[in-house]
Amino acid sequence: MEWTVKPGWNGVMIEPDASTPLLHTQGITKNFGQVQALAGVSVRIARGETLAIMGPSGSGKSTLLHCLSGVLVPDQGTVTFDGQPVSSLRDRERSHLRLTRFGFVFQDGQLIPELSARENVGLPLMLTGTSRSRALGTADGMLERLGLADLRHRRPGDMSGGQAQRTAIARALAAQPDVVFADEPSGALDQATGHETMQLLTTTVAMSGASLVLVTHDLNVARWCSRLIEIRDGLVHSDRRLEPLAAGTEAAR
Ligand code: ADP
Ligand code: MG
């Protein structure tokens, strides 16, 4: 694989190589009863690419994200990750893939209320066999990168919505995933906090070298990504590259 590192809005940007996609789908369809959620979607996602998915409510965005991440198996077509046919793996193998290679950020964070921030962030590592002390050490490092070092002993209920989402981002990145999936992760936050959190998500994921697949209804959030796909009626309606934004230029939007 060819890597090009060039200066960009977040200091360093890794230029993805589109010829060897890390993750791709070929003609995937998914029906729920009479509802056709996906009508034949083919997408190729390069390593290090940050992809925003937009589209009307009910157009199939979450279903596409779930098929890409092995949560759902499409009715037809294939999903391939790093050369492996995800759609034909057994449940256990797909679970293992999700734990070890993917990170997830959901709308309401889905942190475990009884656990502290560092325990929440370290949990995915402990689930794959990392010792508790190592997992918590890694968690502390991730929380520090996200500006949450002082909150590491706090439980989610004692944090603001933005802090909880930053903790969820730290958790998604703790196992050094190849792809981070995020489904409307700023949906429950006020606009200013949402934008700040999404900027942090896109820059932290880009710096980690992982790919990002981000479902959002906010074009200003999508603009932090390198590419935008629009889904309508279960099909890719448009697919375009986005210009990198200069750091701190809110007006550039
Ligand atoms: P979006 O995320 O773009 O809002 P979804 O992918 O969630 O859209 O849903 C696409 C379509 O599939 C919608 O019509 C939705 O109602 C339907 N759908 C999604 N998940 C299910 C499910 N588990 N059971 C039944 N219908 C579903
Ligand atoms: Mg959705």
Side-chain angles (χ1 to χ4, degrees):
M1 165 172 293
E2 287 287 319
W3 291 91
T4 322
V5 178
K6 65 172 193 180
W9 48 269
N10 57 3
V12 176
M13 215 170 68
I14 296 164
E15 185 76 357
D17 174 7
S19 61
T20 51
L22 177 65
L23 179 60
H24 73 275
T25 73
Q26 207 140 27
I28 56 170
T29 66
K30 185 73 185 175
N31 285 29
F32 297 103
Q34 299 295 313
V35 176
Q36 187 170 41
L38 295 179
V41 172
S42 301
V43 288
R44 297 159 68 86
I45 300 163
R47 191 178 283 276
E49 186 162 55
T50 51
L51 172 68
I53 299 178
M54 296 189 76
S57 177
S59 57
K61 304 180 297 295
S62 295
T63 306
L64 174 59
L65 191 136
H66 291 146
C67 288
L68 281 167
S69 57
V71 172
L72 283 176
V73 177
D75 297 333
Q76 291 172 304
T78 55
V79 179
T80 309
F81 168 72
D82 203 10
Q84 293 183 80
V86 178
S87 32
S88 57
L89 294 179
R90 280 180 296 220
D91 281 359
R92 272 183 65 121
E93 295 166 328
R94 278 187 289 119
S95 301
H96 184 74
L97 184 71
R98 285 199 298 275
L99 264 177
T100 54
R101 310 289 300 270
F102 298 158
F104 293 88
V105 186
F106 303 98
Q107 178 160 346
D108 63 356
Q110 297 190 355
L111 298 169
I112 297 174
E114 292 80 13
L115 299 183
S116 66
R118 66 198 296 256
E119 288 167 333
N120 266 290
V121 174
L123 188 63
L125 290 169
M126 292 184 228
L127 289 175
T128 52
T130 305
S131 72
R132 184 180 162 85
S133 60
R134 268 191 77 162
L136 292 178
T138 303
D140 287 346
M142 280 315 306
L143 287 165
E144 193 172 343
R145 271 171 70 180
L146 286 149
L148 294 169
D150 295 345
L151 302 185
R152 63 187 189 277
H153 295 294
R154 247 191 234 181
R155 289 183 182 184
D158 299 324
M159 294 177 191
S160 70
Q163 289 165 345
Q165 271 311 50
R166 273 149 66 193
T167 305
I169 295 168
R171 183 186 56 184
L173 285 165
Q176 295 184 285
D178 295 87
V179 188
V180 173
F181 295 95
D183 198 348
E184 307 209 10
S186 61
L189 303 176
D190 67 70
Q191 202 185 47
T193 311
H195 282 178
E196 195 183 311
T197 311
M198 289 308 95
Q199 189 179 350
L200 196 61
L201 172 69
T202 49
T203 51
T204 326
V205 173
M207 294 300 277
S208 80
S211 307
L212 173 67
V213 182
L214 168 66
V215 173
T216 178
H217 55 269
D218 187 339
L219 186 59
N220 289 324
V221 167
R223 284 189 177 138
W224 289 108
C225 295
S226 56
R227 182 175 157 207
L228 170 61
I229 283 184
E230 199 187 341
I231 302 290
R232 287 205 199 154
D233 298 327
L235 289 168
V236 175
H237 182 76
S238 68
D239 184 347
R240 64 188 168 106
R241 290 185 70 74
L242 299 171
E243 290 300 315
L245 288 174
T249 51
E250 203 66 11
R253 298 170 168 198

